[in-house]
Amino acid sequence: MAKTIVVKQVGSPIRRPQVQRATLIGLGLNKMHKTRELEDTPSVRGMVRSIPHLVEIIEERDN
């Protein structure tokens, strides 16, 4: 029973540091308003926490 989170890209990577762009790509996001359902792990949470101005957590699910 894995927990998942739904993450949505709300900010543009234009004029952002390369590290932040790479974090978005690592999360599987590359276009505005795109959503991804990701496994809720500490590494994913850390990636989301490192770019809070570009993404938001829409939903947390218990599967």
Side-chain angles (χ1 to χ4, degrees):
M1 202 158 156
K3 292 179 74 174
T4 60
I5 57 175
V6 179
V7 180
K8 179 179 181 180
Q9 182 177 343
V10 296
S12 172
I14 296 172
R15 297 182 63 189
R16 300 286 180 194
Q18 186 62 36
V19 174
Q20 294 179 7
R21 290 177 184 232
T23 303
L24 277 175
I25 292 168
L27 290 170
L29 300 170
N30 60 356
K31 293 187 174 145
M32 291 290 292
H33 310 294
K34 186 173 179 181
T35 61
R36 284 289 312 261
E37 185 172 349
L38 302 166
E39 192 174 342
D40 191 6
T41 62
S43 60
V44 171
R45 287 284 182 163
M47 291 170 78
V48 170
R49 212 174 294 123
S50 70
I51 52 170
H53 53 289
L54 298 178
V55 297
E56 68 180 16
I57 296 176
I58 296 177
E59 184 178 356
E60 298 182 18
R61 298 180 182 164
D62 289 327
N63 290 346

